[in-house]
Each structure stands twice: as structure tokens, then as C-alpha cells.
Amino acid sequence: MITVTNLAIQFGKRVLYKDVNIKFTSGNIYGIIGANGAGKSTLLKAISGELEPNKGTVEMAPGERLSVLDQDHFKFDDFTVMDTVLMGHQPLWKNMKEREALYAKPEMTEEDGNRAADLELKFAEMNGWEAESEAAQLLQNLGVKEDRHYMQMAELSNNEKVRVMLAKALFGHPDNLLLDEPTNDLDLDTVQWLEEYLSSLEQCVLVVSHDRHFLDAVSTQTVDIDFGKVTVFSGNYSFWYESSQLALRQAQNQRLKAEEKRKQLEEFIRRFSANVAKSKQTTSRKKMLEKLNVEQITPSTRKYPGIIFSMEREPGNQILEVEGLKAVDTDGTVLFDNVSFNIEKGQKTVFLSHNPKAMTALFEIINGNREADAGTFKWGITITTAYLPLDNTEFFQSDLNLVDWLSQYGPGNEVVMKGYLGRMLFKQEEVEKKVNVLSGGEKMRCMIARMQLKNANCLILDTPTNHLDLESIQAFNNNLIQFKGNILFASHDHEFIQTVADRIIELTPTGTIDKLMDYDDYIYDEQIKEQKTRMYNQ
């Protein structure tokens, strides 16, 4: 349990929030949401003690242990992977080091012997004899192979380090757990494992994430940072989003009477409760709406970008034919082979693979940016494409301002370009910024504006939610659902795939798995699991 009392945080004259009084209790997972800059990560830092609040206190119940997902991936480069994970349980780690020092002595005094006996007792109480096997199991579940467990952290890739840091945070079943963007750089299978793992915990967990499905799957409470306040209410992200949109529509309709508003809200809660009860998501076990008061539902101050893709030309029946494509990585690894498919009009197809480089290679090939190692592809003569690449670095290596940069990619005067940038939430003074100083999220919004200029009838999107905040992801997602043309995409965002895709093509080194089905059904289908195992292990 974590008790926050009269917490206030400000930087200079900017007040993030004040008078924060919250009791985070065991058995609940709190999803923390808020616009960029609202102070989500700052709240976690204040709770962990990394940041000193301007006012207030943070206390845990006596004897409880706090664990935090470390963001410094180079901090443990001098240690082995196993030792890094074990350090996640500091009392156990200190015990181990002291025991080792005592037993390393040439001769032990009587005092040393008594101390060693005390340490052995505490070591057993902390489940020390099983510690390495538990750490190894965590690492394997998070995709870190056994042959890496005793390597130096410095030898690992950044992606592997992320997984080790997560294993370190989870190790030893801490009483209180703080996770800031825990799904970053994880593949969909690992995210699914993490959802199930966290959902089984009875400890107190606070999590910041831009992954909406992850928040929905694990959260029993939502902590909303808005209006300069920190508010806790029952429910997950989807419930917060839908209810805040309903409240906004009600606020815009001044003629709606109070009683009618209340009836609408109560009906919404009933419908949402029924949907949750039928879902596979773990939030149903927490009866998250039992204590909800309709007065809690208020419009949000969040601003959502205006992402609207429109087609200048209606596509014909021939979209894309691919025959026998093969791609090999620079190190000789076969990314995919014998890939053949025909995209039908209107289909929205997600591409999956255990190796994320496979999807990028496919998209680069069909966009003419890379040669295939074998095979052919052919676009229909009516098809126009707009491509959002995984790496957009080359587009921003100039000192053009945003207006001049966007003007390179479509017709229209300065007013038109400012309009597109304004819809992507760039303020008047921001459009004069140089593109080479933009943040990752700002670059993505520029790239989306660039795509909209093309009025293409086929969108190609390589991991489109990277660097975007929840508001941009939600707006992007909503428009793709409505888009009438074709979409070919790859994503780590479960909700994005589930709501957009109507076809799934998995790329393997020996061929494809091609299904017209729902993504949730795809990942739980036992026959498909067996087929995937065979194809990846051939």
C-alpha cells in the first residue's frame, strides 16, 4: 500500500498538481493517464523517491518493499544478467553479498559464525535457494534466452536490456511496483505474457503506458492527471475514454436536461459493465464499476489531432499481387521466404512475425526502396500509396521550418499547410520550428500530415504508434477504422490490430500463415499456434 498525502509538484512557475491525496491499495493495478507533459512519469518519480516533491509525503506500509522499472539501460553494464535481476530484490542481494564475504574469509570468528547463521536463516526466509531459478524463469518468459543469463549486460542489445530491466523490477514479488512504459520494445507475445503475469498479482501496481490494450487488460483503476489534479476512478482506459467523450458531447449540448444526462450516463455504465463481464480481460474480476458515481464522469481537456485520410481516386479490383518473395538480413538471417499473397479491395491487413525486421523488409520492398532476394510484386494501375516508414530520420535532416518542409510533399499554399499542421496540434508559433530539432512524437505527427496530403487509396504503415501519445494513437486508430481504402500495416499495439485488421498474414522463414479472422481469435487458436511452431522451427 502507498499513501500519498498533500503532494504538490511544480517546476518554476508551472504547477503540475497540488493537494494530491491518494491511497494506492494492494490488489489493484492503477493505470496512469494524462496528456504529454501532464506529469505521469513525474508522479512515479515522486513516489519512488527519485524526485523530491515541493510539498507532501509518500509512505508505504511498514516492512513493504518497493520496486521500480529502471530506465537507465547502461547502469548495470558491469554486472551479469543474472546478478542484475537478483539486484531487484535488494534485501536478498545484500544478504547474498554479505554471506559471500563471510565465507570468503580464511578464518571465521565466533561472531562471524553467528552472523552467518542469521544470514542463512533470513536467506531461506526470502526464498534465496530458489532465487536464481525464479530469475531464470522470468528472463525466459520475457524472451531472454538461457545462453544470455550469465553474460555481461554490456554485451546485450538494447532490446534485451529492456527485458532484463523488466525482469529485475518484477523479481521477488515486491509489495509495490512502479512501471513506466513497460511494454516498450516488447513483441506482442511478450506483452501478452506480461498482461497475464500482472493480472495475477495481489500487490499494488502503478503503471504508465501508451498501450491501450495493455492498460485495459491489467488496470482495475485509472489515475487521470488533468485540470492540474490527480483523480482516481474505477475502470480502465477504454471506459475513461468512452465516458469522457460522452460527457463532452453532453457538455456541448446545452439543452440537455440534468435528468436526461444522468439517464444517458447510467445507461452507458450498464452497457459497459455488460461488455466487460463478457470479455476475456482481467478487469472483469475486479468489478471495476461497482462504486462508480456518475458525477465522476467529466469531459477531458485533452486535445485529439485531426487525422483524416481521404482517397482522391477509387481503387480498382487489382490492389497488390506478391509472388514468392524472399528477404535476407545483412547477417544472413532469412527474414521471410516463399511469401505469396493477393490483397483484395478494401482489405486491411496486418503483417506479423517473430522478427520485426521482416515486416520492415517487406514494406521497403513493395515501396521500391529495397530489392527482394527472390520473387516479384505488382501493384494495380489504379493504386496510389502513402507510406509511413519505421525509420523517418532521413526526412528531417534539414533546417526547413515545418511549413516549408510539408510544402515539399503536396500542393497548396502556406495557409493550407498551416491548416494540416494545425490539425496535427502544432500551434501557430510551432510551425516556424526547424524540423531537425523536433521530438520523436512531433516527427511522427509531421509524417502523418505528409501522408494526408497524398490522398492515397492504400496506406502502408510500419509500426505507426511509435512515439505517439495516447490521444494521437486514439485519433489515428479511429480514422483507420473508417478509412475505405486498403491498409497494409505492422504494429505492436494490440488494440490497433484488433480494431483495424480484417486479415492477418504472418511472415516466417518458410512461408506465410494467412487468415481472414479476428486478431484475438488468431492468437488463441491452438491449431495456428502449432502451425507457427512448425514453420519457425523448420
Side-chain angles (χ1 to χ4, degrees):
M1 183 174 71
I2 302 171
T3 303
V4 177
T5 307
N6 296 327
L7 187 77
I9 295 178
Q10 69 180 77
F11 297 104
K13 294 182 179 180
R14 185 180 174 223
V15 178
L16 284 183
Y17 26 75
K18 59 183 179 179
D19 300 325
V20 178
N21 291 279
I22 302 173
K23 186 175 286 187
F24 299 103
T25 58
S26 300
N28 280 303
I29 300 178
Y30 297 85
I32 302 174
I33 63 172
N36 276 357
K40 302 182 294 293
S41 296
T42 301
L43 180 62
L44 293 189
K45 289 177 181 178
I47 292 172
S48 70
E50 182 182 342
L51 181 147
E52 184 73 26
N54 299 87
K55 181 184 175 184
T57 60
V58 177
E59 296 178 329
M60 288 187 295
E64 288 193 344
R65 189 166 65 87
L66 174 72
S67 185
V68 181
L69 176 56
D70 206 306
Q71 303 296 316
D72 184 352
H73 300 153
F74 303 98
K75 185 176 179 180
F76 300 94
D77 277 0
D78 294 335
F79 297 91
T80 67
V81 169
M82 180 59 69
D83 283 350
T84 300
V85 176
L86 294 175
M87 277 188 275
H89 192 327
Q90 272 297 304
L92 176 62
W93 176 253
K94 289 176 181 177
N95 181 295
M96 293 171 69
K97 293 293 103 179
E98 189 175 350
R99 284 168 67 250
E100 286 177 13
L102 282 174
Y103 292 137
K105 287 185 174 184
E107 290 186 25
M108 291 178 64
T109 65
E110 183 179 349
E111 184 180 353
D112 289 337
N114 291 334
R115 180 57 181 164
D118 289 340
L119 289 171
E120 289 291 354
L121 181 62
K122 291 176 182 176
F123 184 74
E125 289 174 352
M126 289 186 286
N127 209 31
W129 299 112
E130 287 78 37
E132 287 202 20
S133 63
E134 289 181 7
Q137 188 62 59
L138 265 179
L139 287 165
Q140 287 196 314
N141 289 336
L142 287 166
V144 181
K145 295 179 180 178
E146 190 174 356
D147 61 3
R148 320 290 276 177
H149 292 184
Y150 291 92
M151 290 175 60
Q152 292 293 116
M153 285 287 288
E155 299 178 68
L156 269 56
S157 67
N158 192 60
N159 182 280
E160 290 172 316
K161 287 182 179 180
V162 167
R163 295 162 188 259
V164 176
M165 291 296 99
L166 187 51
K168 174 179 175 288
L170 300 177
F171 176 68
H173 306 288
D175 304 287
N176 302 289
L177 179 61
L178 309 184
L179 302 174
D180 194 350
E181 297 293 355
T183 63
N184 279 3
D185 295 315
L186 299 185
D187 59 84
L188 286 161
D189 289 340
T190 308
V191 172
Q192 184 182 342
W193 175 85
L194 183 60
E195 288 174 358
E196 293 171 356
Y197 180 86
L198 292 178
S199 298
S200 68
L201 295 182
E202 291 301 329
Q203 287 81 11
C204 175
V205 183
L206 279 66
V207 59
V208 172
S209 178
H210 287 152
D211 186 327
R212 296 159 302 157
H213 183 274
F214 178 73
L215 285 177
D216 279 352
V218 303
S219 298
T220 61
Q221 310 281 322
T222 295
V223 180
D224 182 30
I225 303 178
D226 203 355
F227 303 102
K229 298 179 180 179
V230 182
T231 307
V232 181
F233 61 84
S234 299
N236 58 21
Y237 172 78
S238 286
F239 181 80
W240 171 86
Y241 174 74
E242 296 294 343
S243 61
S244 67
Q245 292 297 297
L246 173 60
L248 179 62
R249 291 192 295 272
Q250 289 186 340
Q252 291 169 342
N253 188 349
Q254 299 296 327
R255 296 173 300 174
L256 207 60
K257 295 178 181 178
E259 185 59 31
E260 190 175 347
K261 285 184 180 181
R262 187 175 185 84
K263 286 180 179 177
Q264 282 188 5
L265 291 170
E266 288 175 341
E267 175 58 27
F268 168 76
I269 292 169
R270 277 195 295 272
R271 283 190 289 105
F272 194 89
S273 299
N275 289 341
V276 168
K278 294 176 184 176
S279 77
K280 298 174 184 176
Q281 295 171 356
T282 59
T283 45
S284 59
R285 70 184 171 89
K286 296 292 185 180
K287 301 179 182 179
M288 64 185 186
L289 303 175
E290 283 182 353
K291 298 179 182 179
L292 185 67
N293 188 322
V294 292
E295 276 73 29
Q296 287 182 271
I297 300 177
T298 58
S300 169
T301 63
R302 313 280 210 288
K303 293 187 181 298
Y304 294 81
I307 301 177
I308 304 172
F309 293 108
S310 56
M311 300 186 298
E312 191 170 61
R313 180 178 186 179
E314 180 73 20
N317 291 325
Q318 184 180 351
I319 309 299
L320 173 65
E321 293 181 3
V322 170
E323 186 67 37
L325 274 190
K326 179 180 182 179
V328 180
D329 202 3
T330 52
D331 63 359
T333 301
V334 177
L335 299 174
F336 56 79
D337 194 6
N338 194 30
V339 170
S340 301
F341 57 83
N342 183 30
I343 299 296
E344 303 290 338
K345 184 176 180 179
Q347 282 182 341
K348 298 175 180 179
T349 306
V350 65
F351 292 87
L352 308 175
S353 177
H354 285 180
N355 189 338
K357 289 183 178 180
M359 288 84 79
T360 296
L362 175 68
F363 295 151
E364 288 290 294
I365 289 169
I366 64 176
N367 277 283
N369 300 331
R370 171 176 175 165
E371 290 290 325
D373 291 281
T376 60
F377 68 93
K378 181 180 180 182
W379 288 100
I381 58 173
T382 63
I383 303 306
T384 54
T385 62
Y387 179 35
L388 185 67
L390 178 66
D391 183 2
N392 57 38
T393 305
E394 66 178 271
F395 291 90
F396 297 97
Q397 294 177 339
S398 76
D399 60 357
L400 293 173
N401 66 37
L402 268 63
V403 175
D404 292 340
W405 179 88
L406 189 59
S407 298
Q408 301 174 102
Y409 301 110
N413 56 30
E414 182 177 323
V415 174
V416 172
M417 296 303 153
K418 285 184 175 180
Y420 275 99
L421 291 167
R423 288 197 290 275
M424 294 308 297
L425 303 184
F426 288 104
K427 298 174 183 176
Q428 182 65 34
E429 64 274 13
E430 292 179 324
V431 300
E432 299 300 327
K433 287 173 70 172
K434 306 297 185 183
V435 296
N436 55 11
V437 300
L438 296 178
S439 68
E442 289 172 326
K443 288 177 181 178
M444 282 295 287
R445 284 188 279 135
C446 282
M447 293 295 288
I448 294 169
R450 172 182 174 271
M451 289 186 72
Q452 292 177 80
L453 282 173
K454 292 181 175 292
N455 294 316
N457 52 32
C458 181
L459 308 178
I460 305 169
L461 312 168
D462 193 350
T463 324
T465 59
N466 273 8
H467 304 293
L468 293 180
D469 57 24
L470 274 171
E471 290 70 48
S472 298
I473 292 170
Q474 190 72 59
F476 205 167
N477 198 163
N478 290 348
N479 187 252
L480 292 184
I481 293 170
Q482 302 300 322
F483 184 63
K484 301 300 182 185
N486 285 90
I487 303 174
L488 312 178
F489 73 105
S491 179
H492 295 310
D493 188 311
H494 187 122
E495 186 74 9
F496 217 83
I497 299 172
Q498 175 66 16
T499 55
V500 174
D502 54 25
R503 183 178 179 183
I504 298 167
I505 298 179
E506 183 149 358
L507 308 172
T508 81
T510 56
T512 59
I513 302 170
D514 191 344
K515 301 291 181 181
L516 290 168
M517 67 190 304
D518 177 274
Y519 178 62
D520 278 342
D521 291 338
Y522 181 85
I523 60 177
Y524 289 109
D525 189 292
E526 292 300 328
Q527 290 184 335
I528 291 175
K529 287 180 182 179
E530 291 175 7
Q531 185 181 0
K532 287 169 66 172
T533 300
R534 289 196 304 272
M535 296 186 75
Y536 280 109
N537 294 332
Q538 281 181 8

